[in-house]
Amino acid sequence: MTNQFRVKSLILAMGVAFASTPVFAEDETTGDDDDAQVMVVVGSRAAPRSVADSPVPVDVISAAELGATGSSDMLDMLVGTVPSFNVHANPISDAATMVRPVNLRGLSSDSTLILVNGKRRHRASVIAFQGGGINDGAQGPDISVIPSVALKQVEILRDGAAAQYGSDAIAGVMNFVLKDSSDGGSFSVKYGEYYEGDGTSVTIDGNIGMPFTNQGFANFSFQLKNADATSRSIQIPAAQAMADAGNTFIQNPAQIWGSPEINDDITLFANIGVDLDSSKEFYLFGNYSERDVKGGFYWRNPHNRGSIYSNDGGETLLVGDLDGVGTGISCPTVTITSDNVLGNLAYQQIADNLTALGQNCFAVNEIHPGGYTPNFGGNVTDAAIAAGVKGDITGGMLDGYFFDLSASVGRNEAGFNIVNTINSSMGMDSPTDFELGRYIQLEKSFNLDLVKTVDMGWSNDLNMASGLEWREDTFEIVAGDPFSYLAGPLIDQGFNLGSHGFPGFQPSQAGVFSRRSLAAYVDLEAYITDDFLLGAALRYEDFTTFGDTLNYKVTAQYSFNDSFSLRASTSTGFRAPTVGQENVSNVSTSLEDGELTDSALLPPTSEFSQVFGAQALVPEESESYAFGLVYENGDFFFTADYYNIDIEGRITQSDRKTLFEAEYLELEALGVPNPRSVGTVSFYTNDFDTTTSGLDLVANYNAELFGGSSKFSVAYNYTDTEVTQFNTEFTDDFKVKRLEDGLPEHRATFTLAQSWDDVSMFVRANYYGEYYAVHVDWSATAKDADSAVTLDAEVSYHVSDAFKLTLGATNLLDQDAELIDFTGNGGDATNIPNANWGGKFYETSPFGFNGGFYYFKGTYTF
């Protein structure tokens, strides 16, 4: 094997047992991209293989296919091309609105390892506190910052890989391969809008490749986008009744259910490589990204919202005495007898600050007379850089080895804010906009990888790989502005402290929390005979917080002939609890039995959590096996793969636990300060075990039809998750139902692409099976939703060799998401929990709730 070939073969030096099954790709890529669709390196330490010569499956998605979608968000692009990949829209979901969690093979977002150019991608700082059951408490990487214009291809390994990469690779691995051209480039502008006339988005992106000295390349990409918010809302009945009664401050709709507004979303990517000599190469790649996100929250009813407007369920208005006790003048009692408390004479005395009665008295209605709907959002910045040297070692004890020595650092920061709310304990002195503080995730790693081939007298040389990895993960909480967590003078009169909806992080919550790990691995792979490929990997990893773990993987493939082969794998894996999950503290608004409540999320090691039996987190542990077949005959390619993943001790956020007098007395005896300021508590726990099994089918066929080139692709996924054990103290049947049925068991896509000399087009049908639909995270609103089919289509006209115009649509026929039943279950008009929250569609729709989207795009290639 020549040095030049080995350098190219090991571009992505760390890895998983590699394999490939192609997915549909358009016929408008460059020659380099075409090669990438039949030859991939997704971490293999041997030479690249063809897509059929692999023991485990990988989807290979070209840059052209990613670009053939209406969305400019990487998450939405992948949903349309990978059936086992799911993303929820999260219209009202605290921090998950800013960084949407994803699911591969029905597992949580932090069960999929993300790589860029074969190097581990850092996590987002955002933790999904309300993750729709499956992602409750998940903290995965933010892949939405990766633009398609920067990518050569995406490789999705659908198999466990902890024995190669360590934590997180339970569901699989996604490797984003950056463009490495040294010349040429592109520039495009895309405009899109939903059929409803909202959600208008404009995306501008570009890429350029340049020589870097005479022996290298420098490839740069950028993307700038803005997207307006959407609304799929109806008026809340209680709000409409107040408006009808004369409250002119009620907004219509009072509460927005839709996608958030995204402003100034800028991303810059660079990928640089240069040959140092005939056998060594230096590489450097990284990104900087930033965006502002603004989303909706729940409407606060101006009659009955607890600790804000009333403390007796809306019978009387909560009124604060600004003079305190002992003035000799008491504030009037405001009895709520109609749908418009603003017309109540006793309230008018307070609002008009009349002498004697009502003077120096306070009600939140004076600031927010029509109730209020906070807007939650913030600023997300993401930056990463990785650099290294790789090549052949000549001389010494490591003579003949290929090495890859690298270092990387990644940082993600989310600064939170909330507007149009109140710190009611401050009375009239309260601001309505608050800076809540920040989460910062910082990860550092150093890697040394060594590869050597050894002649064992077999059909092919034995490929031996080994390596070391050092990592440090740090999670930091930065306190918010004082008004966002202040307990004002009215706190003792029953008013809420802190910015309502999401109190700011207090100094007592702030801090820097770190963990280090050291890992070593060995990987062997060889063709024992001309037809039999066998591989094995072993990895040991030691963490400073919870100890060590040892994992293995074995893969095999047997080829009966040039067309047909069988493949199989078995492995163990783990997912370490994140430093954020171990240490985060937060208070947020959530739904508890149909009532909006403020719940504290505290570390499992806190006194509050341990009152309910919480324990320090330990890693999730998994065992998986898979087997499948590959058939290739001319222009037809087919793969079928069955998989089974058993996970013990899955980490999730517990149900909210109510503190009663016995718990308060126990906490006071432990010396905990002010325990009665906390009403309910949740925490992270190793709570349940699951078995996930399924089947992936992929088929491709190329032909010359209709006077041009035709490509057909079918991809199908079946995933079934069963909760085999759970702790009834921390998890209820509702969460179990969401875990098992919250995503469609059946997903499929069928794609036809057609190209002629000047025109190209594609049509894709997307099938989504039945699923358990949930609204406002409450069991009373849930139902089994019907299956649905959506269509995507795009047509491009090549004005010249350099310029192309594109018209397309996603959800072409405007298929609605599951409609909310406003008459209650079974048509019982007395049971209408869904109508209380203003949503038109169930928020957990697997294809979103915004409906059809059309777009225009112009692309200039040079």
Side-chain angles (χ1 to χ4, degrees):
M1 183 181 297
T2 67
N3 290 337
Q4 182 181 12
F5 181 73
R6 293 178 61 188
V7 170
K8 291 181 178 179
S9 301
L10 295 159
I11 291 175
L12 311 177
M14 282 282 298
V16 295
F18 115 52
S20 301
T21 52
V23 218
F24 161 79
E26 285 193 279
D27 189 21
E28 52 181 81
T29 58
T30 65
D32 290 341
D33 285 340
D34 287 336
D35 291 341
Q37 290 157 33
V38 294
M39 303 292 287
V40 297
V41 182
V42 65
S44 173
R45 295 148 186 130
R49 305 187 193 285
S50 72
V51 293
D53 295 335
S54 54
V56 285
V58 170
D59 295 321
V60 182
I61 307 169
S62 72
E65 186 181 3
L66 289 173
T69 178
S71 177
S72 56
D73 189 308
M74 179 58 63
L75 303 181
D76 297 325
M77 295 177 187
L78 292 171
V79 167
T81 53
V82 183
S84 59
F85 188 83
N86 289 275
V87 182
H88 280 159
N90 295 315
I92 295 180
S93 190
D94 284 347
T97 303
M98 299 170 65
V99 178
R100 293 187 292 161
V102 303
N103 308 103
L104 183 66
R105 283 185 164 178
L107 301 180
S108 63
S109 64
D110 44 14
S111 294
T112 300
L113 179 65
I114 304 300
L115 309 174
V116 175
N117 279 0
K119 304 298 181 182
R120 177 184 285 266
R121 181 74 177 173
H122 61 279
R123 299 178 183 277
S125 57
V126 168
I127 302 174
F129 299 123
Q130 298 176 31
I134 297 173
N135 287 303
D136 288 349
Q139 187 186 4
D142 181 10
I143 63 176
S144 67
V145 303
I146 306 174
S148 63
V149 71
L151 295 177
K152 185 176 183 179
Q153 64 186 40
V154 180
E155 302 163 355
I156 303 178
L157 172 66
R158 295 180 272 112
D159 199 56
Q164 286 82 17
Y165 280 98
S167 179
D168 307 344
I170 291 178
V173 178
M174 301 177 67
N175 182 34
F176 295 84
V177 183
L178 301 177
K179 289 180 178 177
D180 56 5
S181 298
S182 59
D183 58 13
S186 65
F187 179 82
S188 72
V189 178
K190 179 163 63 178
Y191 171 90
E193 186 176 274
Y194 287 100
Y195 292 4
E196 293 287 334
D198 59 9
T200 301
S201 65
V202 176
T203 304
I204 303 171
D205 64 35
N207 169 266
I208 185 170
M210 299 181 293
F212 186 64
T213 75
N214 293 328
Q215 303 297 324
F217 68 90
N219 195 279
F220 300 97
S221 303
F222 81 93
Q223 177 178 274
L224 173 64
K225 64 180 179 180
N226 288 276
D228 294 339
T230 66
S231 175
R232 301 297 175 265
S233 313
I234 63 168
Q235 181 63 300
I236 296 174
Q240 186 60 52
M242 293 177 186
D244 293 342
N247 188 331
T248 60
F249 297 95
I250 299 295
Q251 299 294 313
N252 188 9
Q255 178 176 304
I256 301 296
W257 287 91
S259 298
E261 178 183 347
I262 301 176
N263 292 313
D264 300 327
D265 187 350
I266 179 68
T267 293
L268 306 172
F269 262 84
N271 187 27
I272 298 171
V274 60
D275 292 336
L276 301 177
D277 56 32
S278 60
S279 62
K280 294 181 179 61
E281 177 188 353
F282 168 80
Y283 58 88
L284 172 72
F285 59 89
N287 77 283
Y288 175 81
S289 305
E290 184 174 3
R291 66 179 180 270
D292 294 316
V293 182
K294 182 181 179 182
F297 248 23
Y298 292 105
W299 175 66
R300 272 60 176 171
N301 186 306
H303 287 187
N304 60 24
R305 182 65 173 95
S307 299
I308 301 293
Y309 289 105
S310 177
N311 273 342
D312 56 14
E315 293 186 10
T316 63
L317 206 62
L318 178 59
V319 178
D321 183 353
L322 301 179
D323 287 333
V325 180
T327 62
I329 300 175
S330 61
C331 292
T333 298
V334 182
T335 302
I336 303 174
T337 58
S338 71
D339 285 325
N340 183 12
V341 73
L342 303 183
N344 187 298
L345 179 60
Y347 169 74
Q348 291 175 358
Q349 291 177 325
I350 295 171
D352 295 338
N353 198 28
L354 298 178
T355 57
L357 288 176
Q359 189 173 26
N360 290 325
C361 297
F362 168 74
V364 173
N365 308 68
E366 296 179 78
I367 297 177
H368 294 297
Y372 59 97
T373 304
N375 288 122
F376 175 80
N379 175 267
V380 180
T381 59
D382 184 279
I385 187 168
V389 178
K390 58 190 176 185
D392 289 302
I393 300 175
T394 56
M397 62 180 297
L398 296 180
D399 182 52
Y401 275 88
F402 180 91
F403 78 96
D404 186 340
L405 180 64
S406 65
S408 63
V409 60
R411 185 180 188 273
N412 183 279
E413 176 179 333
F416 305 106
N417 60 54
I418 192 168
V419 302
N420 194 42
T421 184
I422 191 172
N423 181 342
S424 63
S425 69
M426 296 178 63
M428 294 297 294
D429 295 328
S430 173
T432 57
D433 300 347
F434 302 86
E435 296 295 327
L436 306 175
R438 292 173 288 153
Y439 288 154
I440 301 173
Q441 179 77 13
L442 178 66
E443 299 183 18
K444 306 171 186 176
S445 64
F446 293 92
N447 293 83
L448 172 63
D449 306 293
L450 299 170
V451 182
K452 186 176 183 178
T453 57
V454 179
D455 185 359
M456 302 293 293
W458 299 335
S459 176
N460 206 337
D461 290 346
L462 171 67
N463 193 84
M464 299 192 312
S466 60
L468 298 172
E469 180 180 63
W470 176 92
R471 292 178 54 213
E472 181 181 71
D473 294 356
T474 300
F475 182 76
E476 181 178 358
I477 304 174
V478 180
D481 75 67
F483 291 149
S484 71
Y485 56 79
L486 178 69
L490 297 181
I491 188 66
D492 294 330
Q493 299 184 40
F495 286 85
N496 185 83
L497 68 84
S499 48
H500 194 235
F502 200 113
F505 308 137
Q506 301 181 25
S508 60
Q509 297 172 297
V512 179
F513 312 95
S514 296
R515 178 182 69 203
R516 294 178 178 177
S517 64
L518 183 64
Y521 75 87
V522 61
D523 185 291
L524 306 175
E525 187 177 84
Y527 274 96
I528 305 302
T529 69
D530 289 342
D531 302 317
F532 183 45
L533 172 66
L534 185 65
L538 191 68
R539 183 185 180 100
Y540 172 81
E541 193 153 359
D542 184 57
F543 292 82
T544 55
T545 54
F546 52 77
D548 56 6
T549 180
L550 181 67
N551 293 276
Y552 72 86
K553 181 169 185 175
V554 177
T555 59
Q557 183 177 37
Y558 185 78
S559 299
F560 291 90
N561 50 49
D562 291 341
S563 298
F564 181 71
S565 64
L566 296 178
R567 59 189 180 190
S569 68
T570 182
S571 65
T572 61
F574 75 103
R575 187 184 76 77
T578 72
V579 182
Q581 290 171 334
E582 292 176 317
N583 296 283
V584 70
S585 297
N586 182 64
V587 178
S588 61
T589 298
S590 54
L591 205 70
E592 183 70 22
D593 295 327
E595 297 293 331
L596 293 175
T597 60
D598 293 332
S599 179
L601 171 66
L602 299 173
T605 53
S606 74
E607 293 90 342
F608 285 92
S609 303
Q610 294 195 350
V611 162
F612 295 102
Q615 298 180 356
L617 296 176
V618 297
E620 300 176 356
E621 296 182 352
S622 69
E623 295 183 358
S624 64
Y625 64 87
F627 55 85
L629 61 88
V630 180
Y631 178 75
E632 184 177 24
N633 187 354
D635 292 321
F636 179 72
F637 190 93
F638 174 77
T639 65
D641 294 278
Y642 172 83
Y643 57 90
N644 183 280
I645 308 169
D646 292 321
I647 307 177
E648 293 185 359
R650 282 183 63 171
I651 298 170
T652 188
Q653 188 175 329
S654 73
D655 288 338
R656 290 175 284 275
K657 312 296 291 184
T658 302
L659 292 157
F660 295 105
E661 187 64 21
E663 286 79 28
Y664 287 133
L665 291 174
E666 182 177 346
L667 291 165
E668 288 171 344
L670 293 172
V672 177
N674 302 317
R676 296 177 188 271
S677 64
V678 177
T680 62
V681 171
S682 63
F683 44 85
Y684 291 109
T685 175
N686 293 94
D687 191 29
F688 56 94
D689 303 339
T690 60
T691 295
T692 299
S693 58
L695 177 68
D696 288 321
L697 303 177
V698 177
N700 295 298
Y701 179 67
N702 299 334
E704 298 295 325
L705 300 173
F706 314 116
S709 176
S710 304
K711 292 189 176 184
F712 300 87
S713 177
V714 177
Y716 166 79
N717 170 258
Y718 167 77
T719 296
D720 176 69
T721 296
E722 179 185 0
V723 178
T724 56
Q725 184 275 333
F726 67 97
N727 186 339
T728 57
E729 293 294 321
F730 300 149
T731 294
D732 57 17
D733 292 336
F734 175 48
K735 177 176 281 189
V736 170
K737 177 69 171 175
R738 287 184 295 169
L739 287 164
E740 293 183 334
D741 301 321
L743 297 173
E745 288 188 349
H746 300 274
R747 279 281 321 275
T749 64
F750 171 73
T751 307
L752 165 63
Q754 184 72 27
S755 63
W756 296 274
D757 290 339
D758 298 325
V759 178
S760 60
M761 54 80 68
F762 85 89
V763 178
R764 178 187 295 122
N766 308 282
Y767 173 78
Y768 303 87
E770 297 178 354
Y771 67 100
Y772 187 55
V774 179
H775 186 55
V776 297
D777 205 23
W778 185 25
S779 59
T781 70
K783 64 173 291 187
D784 292 322
D786 295 332
S787 59
V789 175
T790 66
L791 293 178
D792 303 331
E794 181 180 283
V795 59
S796 296
Y797 174 65
H798 297 262
V799 179
S800 66
D801 291 341
F803 187 62
K804 178 180 68 174
L805 292 175
T806 299
L807 170 65
T810 59
N811 196 354
L812 178 68
L813 302 181
D814 199 21
Q815 170 65 48
D816 281 340
E818 189 75 14
L819 282 165
I820 292 172
D821 181 6
F822 295 108
T823 62
N825 296 331
D828 182 2
T830 64
N831 179 17
I832 53 171
N834 283 323
N836 296 337
W837 309 106
K840 187 176 180 181
F841 302 107
Y842 279 89
E843 60 188 292
T844 55
S845 169
F847 55 90
F849 48 75
N850 283 315
F853 180 87
Y854 69 89
Y855 59 93
F856 303 96
K857 184 177 180 180
T859 303
Y860 176 73
T861 304
F862 55 91

